[in-house]
Amino acid sequence: MFVSKKKFNGLTVKINEIEKKLEHLIFINENAEPYGAYFSEQKRTEAVYALNLCTVSVSQIIDYNDIYILEQEREMILSNINLQKFFKDESFLKVFTKILSIVSDLKLNDADRIYIENEYRREMQNAFWEAVPNLNLIFAGGNAVFKAVASAVQIGIGYVSYIKNKDRHLQYGEKRNMELDRETAALLDGLRRELFEAAWRVSAKHNFDDECRLTEKQIRHYNKILTDPDPLRRFENLETITDSFKIFPPFWYHLGSAAREIFSCGSGIYSQLKDMYKAKALEAFRKFETVYIKFLRDDSQAAFCRLEHISLLDIVRDRDEIVMLLKKISADSGSNPDIWQICLMVHMSLGQQDETKNILKRLINAGRNLEFNGLLLSRIYYVEKNESDYKLLANRIGESNVMPWIEDEAEANDEYIKKKNSVVTSRFKFFLGACIGSELKKIAACFGCEREHGIYSPHKNSYDMIVCFVKNNFEKDIASALNSLFCEVGNMPVFGSEKQREATLRKITSDFSEGFENLRTAAAEVKSLFTSSSGTKIKLHANRKEHHDNLTARKKIEEILLLTERFFSDLGEALSKRFSECINSTQAAANAESIIRALDAWHSARGVPVPEFENIHDLHI
């Protein structure tokens, strides 16, 4: 086919123009990859977001100087990159490799991790118990259950909650030395130079606006703001740096979360601001959706942002938006049971039975919150008349964690309350045991002993034990221990009102006064064996420390030690029995959550880890 000379010349001009454009794209700088500058605006945004994500992650590890945060950053971002979707550039590969080489072997010890995670789980569990005190309300769904979502998001998921409450966690962490060692901190600090070099290369290659790149100074300021416990001040400070963080999705989450927190407080100085900050929170959460780029396989922060978003929506009017957000959460939550637990309540509020049941199975398989989830799943099996799965469930998680196979809803609800009360009773008994154990540990010093986990380790010989007992003021110490114990119990919202608590403690004091006097008398009698009427010590067998006379005296002292242990054991039983009687009343049952919160706060303040009240092994449904 032939073309005219005019058309041919026109095509030649166009081809020359294309060649010049390609030449410009290929050779824009000596380090550019082919077509390096031919990235769309979206690709440039992805490049700067990837860079900022790395920089903020490393900076938070350094600035917070906390091994738990290091672990979470490593698992949430550095080890969770979706290699197919993450922006590909050799500069990132070099930085990631170096970061992981530094932090891959650093781990929080098991005791610290268990303490932090159990504390969070208890807070979450208490929020659900409080939000849905009535079993019938749970299965009715709707707004009643939706309130549980608002209660749960107020706590936050583990990592986000940890950052917001870092000062409180540090009180425990300082005892456990959760800071990074100096060598690791120095190596991580050196990564700032690596990141700047990566920023230089990525910026040159992809030609994005450098004002979108976050600097170390900006990030340090941002990190400090996130730990502010005052939501209003946190929101206002975040709002002042919006221009710098506008294409950084986590910023919009934190801005919306602070606004939602102000809305949720809804009292005092915040009461006049509720509606305004609800609107600001929704605006920030919707902005998050417009700038969010999914670089991670599982993104708990994105999932939780959507849960906070859902908590502000109307279950009827905004149903379609809620369902859409739930789908995104499902794609982002991965294996995070904390996210599943809150999603469970959303599905129940929407009346989505199949989704509810599937999540309950996953949670129970993960051994999470059996006291709550076991009751719900077992009741669903009853409604479905699925007795075989019900029996299997009861066999595997225990009869105490399932509802009885009964038809009457009122009776079922009564059983629900009883099981709820048994949880509170278990918590109170553990608290009481910790209090009594602490006091007995102090008293043990009077006998020249150490007490740990109910086991006494005495002095190596009888003579030293006798001298220690005679020297110390046992009578005064046991009185002090009882006063301390009654003060701790009296400060808890147990036994009803303050007046009822005082009456209960007075009654128990009266009941045990004779036993207390018997202990003092026994101690005085033993001491009298070693002192004359003039107050002079009778000579003991110091050279032969295990002399027959010393062994006889030691036996009498050990009898007092045994009587003391028995006395406090009986006292603990009496207090537990009285508490069980009180908690089984309807009024006390309604206050179960406030009791649990007070007990958990007591343990947290003393760094005492509370065990899980669930026994579960190798569960798979």
Side-chain angles (χ1 to χ4, degrees):
M1 179 179 178
F2 296 96
V3 296
S4 66
K5 186 176 181 180
K6 184 177 180 181
K7 285 185 178 181
F8 179 81
N9 290 338
L11 287 170
T12 301
V13 170
K14 288 182 179 180
I15 290 169
N16 289 336
E17 288 175 353
I18 291 172
E19 286 179 344
K20 287 180 181 179
K21 186 176 289 186
L22 288 174
E23 183 180 5
H24 173 72
L25 292 176
I26 295 170
F27 301 107
I28 189 167
N29 67 65
E30 62 181 6
N31 295 316
E33 295 177 356
Y35 307 101
Y38 193 61
F39 286 104
S40 66
E41 193 60 37
Q42 174 63 21
K43 285 296 181 183
R44 289 174 180 163
T45 299
E46 289 179 10
V48 75
Y49 175 45
L51 179 65
N52 287 337
L53 194 65
C54 297
T55 309
V56 171
S57 181
V58 171
S59 293
Q60 288 187 337
I61 292 171
I62 297 169
D63 292 348
Y64 293 145
N65 190 25
D66 186 306
I67 198 165
Y68 179 75
I69 288 176
L70 180 148
E71 245 192 20
Q72 295 300 309
E73 285 292 332
R74 180 181 63 212
E75 298 305 316
M76 189 169 72
I77 296 179
L78 303 176
S79 298
N80 190 32
I81 295 292
N82 187 322
L83 296 179
Q84 286 184 314
K85 296 183 179 179
F86 195 79
F87 196 84
K88 295 189 174 52
D89 192 286
E90 288 294 322
S91 300
F92 288 126
L93 175 60
K94 181 181 177 183
V95 172
F96 278 137
T97 302
K98 192 155 189 177
I99 293 172
L100 290 172
S101 69
I102 294 172
V103 305
S104 59
D105 294 329
L106 294 173
K107 292 183 180 179
L108 190 66
N109 71 60
D110 290 340
D112 292 334
R113 184 183 296 101
I114 289 170
Y115 170 82
I116 293 168
E117 293 178 357
N118 282 356
E119 182 181 30
Y120 166 73
R121 289 177 193 175
R122 284 192 300 277
E123 288 180 355
M124 186 67 76
Q125 179 175 299
N126 295 347
F128 289 125
W129 283 117
E130 184 172 12
V132 280
N134 188 299
L135 185 66
N136 295 333
L137 285 177
I138 299 177
F139 286 100
N143 286 320
V145 180
F146 205 63
K147 289 179 182 178
V149 179
S151 298
V153 298
Q154 191 69 13
I155 296 168
I157 55 171
Y159 180 41
V160 175
S161 174
Y162 184 86
I163 290 179
K164 286 182 180 178
N165 300 289
K166 192 169 186 294
D167 290 341
R168 175 163 61 88
H169 288 293
L170 276 177
Q171 293 174 5
Y172 172 79
E174 285 170 353
K175 300 174 188 175
R176 294 288 191 175
N177 191 25
M178 291 169 70
E179 292 186 354
L180 305 176
D181 61 75
R182 289 185 180 181
E183 183 181 353
T184 301
L187 287 171
L188 287 168
D189 197 52
L191 285 173
R192 296 184 195 271
R193 293 188 297 274
E194 300 278 349
L195 284 164
F196 181 77
E197 181 182 342
W200 182 281
R201 292 180 181 278
V202 173
S203 176
K205 190 180 296 184
H206 306 296
N207 198 30
F208 55 73
D209 183 353
D210 191 60
E211 291 202 357
C212 297
R213 179 181 64 86
L214 298 175
T215 66
E216 282 298 328
K217 183 177 180 181
Q218 290 170 328
I219 296 170
R220 277 197 298 270
H221 182 46
Y222 170 69
N223 290 343
K224 186 176 180 181
I225 293 171
L226 296 187
T227 61
D228 192 332
D230 184 320
L232 181 58
R233 189 169 57 231
R234 192 181 341 127
F235 178 86
E236 290 178 345
N237 284 332
L238 285 171
E239 204 172 33
T240 63
I241 60 174
T242 299
D243 286 346
S244 301
F245 287 79
K246 58 189 175 184
I247 61 170
F248 186 62
F251 168 82
W252 293 104
Y253 160 66
H254 286 294
L255 184 70
S257 183
R260 185 205 54 76
E261 199 173 332
I262 298 168
F263 164 75
S264 298
C265 290
S267 60
I269 60 172
Y270 300 131
S271 58
Q272 305 280 328
L273 309 172
K274 282 191 64 171
D275 292 340
M276 179 177 74
Y277 279 94
K278 179 181 179 180
K280 286 179 178 288
L282 287 170
E283 181 183 1
F285 291 145
R286 284 167 180 151
K287 178 67 175 178
F288 173 90
E289 295 297 336
T290 64
V291 300
Y292 178 67
I293 302 170
K294 187 172 172 59
F295 278 158
L296 309 178
R297 287 178 292 180
D298 303 330
D299 195 337
S300 295
Q301 190 176 79
F304 197 74
C305 175
R306 286 152 182 160
L307 283 171
E308 291 204 34
H309 187 168
I310 286 172
S311 73
L312 297 175
L313 300 175
D314 183 274
I315 194 169
V316 176
R317 186 182 62 246
D318 302 316
R319 184 183 179 93
D320 290 344
E321 187 174 4
I322 292 172
V323 171
M324 178 270 292
L325 290 169
L326 275 175
K327 288 179 180 178
K328 290 184 177 182
I329 293 168
S330 179
D332 284 327
S333 60
S335 58
N336 190 324
D338 300 328
I339 300 294
W340 304 343
Q341 187 72 68
I342 306 174
C343 285
L344 164 71
M345 306 309 290
V346 182
H347 286 296
M348 292 193 82
S349 67
L350 294 172
Q352 297 176 333
Q353 186 89 336
D354 289 342
E355 290 85 348
T356 297
K357 190 165 66 172
N358 288 335
I359 292 177
L360 282 169
K361 288 180 180 180
R362 292 169 74 186
L363 286 166
I364 291 172
N365 283 338
R368 300 301 284 267
N369 204 354
L370 298 188
E371 303 139 326
F372 185 79
N373 296 323
L375 301 185
L376 297 184
L377 184 57
S378 64
R379 195 60 185 167
I380 288 174
Y381 285 150
Y382 175 81
V383 172
E384 295 176 344
K385 301 305 178 188
N386 186 349
E387 193 168 2
S388 60
D389 282 349
Y390 172 88
K391 287 180 177 179
L392 178 62
L393 179 68
N395 184 56
R396 297 168 71 206
I397 69 174
E399 294 286 345
S400 62
N401 288 318
V402 298
M403 293 296 296
W405 189 268
I406 51 178
E407 183 174 356
D408 185 84
E409 289 189 359
E411 189 179 346
N413 191 61
D414 287 343
E415 189 65 26
Y416 171 80
I417 291 173
K418 285 180 186 176
K419 288 181 182 291
K420 178 179 176 182
N421 291 347
S422 81
V423 174
V424 186
T425 302
S426 295
R427 297 282 183 87
F428 177 73
K429 284 182 177 179
F430 184 81
F431 153 76
L432 201 57
C435 285
I436 290 174
S438 176
E439 297 307 322
L440 283 174
K441 192 171 184 177
K442 297 174 190 173
I443 292 172
C446 290
F447 298 88
C449 298
E450 292 182 355
R451 184 182 190 274
E452 199 68 42
H453 307 301
I455 299 172
Y456 289 92
S457 303
H459 272 307
K460 60 183 178 180
N461 61 69
S462 300
Y463 175 81
D464 288 343
M465 187 175 191
I466 296 165
V467 170
C468 187
F469 183 71
V470 173
K471 177 183 175 184
N472 284 297
N473 194 335
F474 170 78
E475 297 90 329
K476 181 181 177 181
D477 284 351
I478 194 170
S480 175
L482 285 169
N483 285 331
S484 177
L485 174 63
F486 276 49
C487 182
E488 294 286 8
V489 174
N491 287 333
M492 290 292 164
V494 294
F495 307 127
S497 65
E498 185 176 349
K499 186 176 180 181
Q500 289 171 318
R501 288 201 296 275
E502 289 179 2
T504 297
L505 294 177
R506 275 199 303 270
K507 175 69 167 56
I508 290 177
T509 301
S510 175
D511 291 344
F512 282 81
S513 60
E514 184 179 348
F516 173 63
E517 288 303 323
N518 289 341
L519 273 176
R520 295 179 63 179
T521 301
E525 288 175 353
V526 171
K527 286 188 176 183
S528 69
L529 296 175
F530 309 110
T531 50
S532 66
S533 57
S534 63
T536 306
K537 278 187 181 180
I538 293 175
K539 183 180 178 181
L540 294 170
H541 299 273
N543 293 327
R544 296 175 59 193
K545 296 181 186 287
E546 298 301 335
H547 187 278
H548 175 73
D549 292 343
N550 288 358
L551 290 172
T552 301
R554 175 178 182 155
K555 184 176 180 181
K556 291 182 180 294
I557 293 172
E558 287 178 338
E559 285 175 358
I560 295 175
L561 183 62
L562 183 61
L563 285 172
T564 304
E565 187 83 16
R566 232 177 251 161
F567 173 81
F568 276 95
S569 176
D570 292 344
L571 179 60
E573 286 295 324
L575 286 167
S576 294
K577 182 179 178 182
R578 178 59 185 147
F579 178 75
S580 296
E581 291 169 355
C582 290
I583 198 65
N584 283 329
S585 69
T586 305
Q587 184 178 3
N591 297 325
E593 289 73 31
S594 62
I595 296 171
I596 290 175
R597 282 197 300 272
L599 294 175
D600 287 350
W602 184 90
H603 288 102
S604 179
R606 289 156 183 78
V608 178
V610 182
E612 291 291 309
F613 296 101
E614 306 164 347
N615 293 315
I616 184 166
H617 301 284
D618 300 323
L619 290 178
H620 298 288
I621 295 180

